[in-house]
Amino acid sequence: MRRKKKRVGLVAKVLIAAFAVYAACTLVNLQFRINAAAAEQEVLLSQLEAQKLTCAELADAISGEDQEEYIARIARDSLGYIYPGEQVFVDISSK
């Protein structure tokens, strides 16, 4: 007796090929999403480090003995205040 070889039908081959294409497209899409998430993670980590540095500076300013100097620097830099009789020179040559 001879055994007959079972042949895979055309429909099955098309379904397998379609599934392979779908799987490949899904994997490529997932890789793009992973790369985008990794880039976003790097940005968020750099923002976190900047916030930690700012937080540490503020904690030092609060606990430091030179609070008056800190307040004066903030008033000068952020608000544009100066001491009475003080002259401020602005260098406009670099603009």
Side-chain angles (χ1 to χ4, degrees):
M1 267 204 273
R2 289 198 292 175
R3 293 187 180 179
K4 290 186 179 180
K5 291 184 179 179
K6 292 185 179 180
R7 294 187 180 185
V8 178
L10 180 62
V11 174
K13 287 180 182 178
V14 170
L15 287 176
I16 291 172
F19 178 74
V21 169
Y22 170 76
C25 290
T26 302
L27 288 175
V28 169
N29 186 22
L30 286 175
Q31 189 62 43
F32 282 132
R33 289 174 56 190
I34 288 170
N35 290 341
E40 184 180 359
Q41 181 184 19
E42 289 297 321
V43 169
L44 292 174
L45 285 175
S46 66
Q47 289 176 354
L48 176 64
E49 290 300 320
Q51 286 296 328
K52 283 183 180 179
L53 181 62
T54 302
C55 213
E57 288 175 355
L58 290 174
D60 287 343
I62 290 172
S63 66
E65 296 176 10
D66 58 345
Q67 287 183 356
E68 288 184 25
E69 182 181 321
Y70 173 74
I71 292 171
R73 182 171 50 92
I74 294 298
R76 181 183 307 264
D77 295 343
S78 299
L79 303 174
Y81 290 172
I82 60 172
Y83 288 112
E86 181 181 17
Q87 293 181 352
V88 178
F89 297 99
V90 178
D91 183 17
I92 61 170
S93 64
S94 62
K95 291 183 180 179

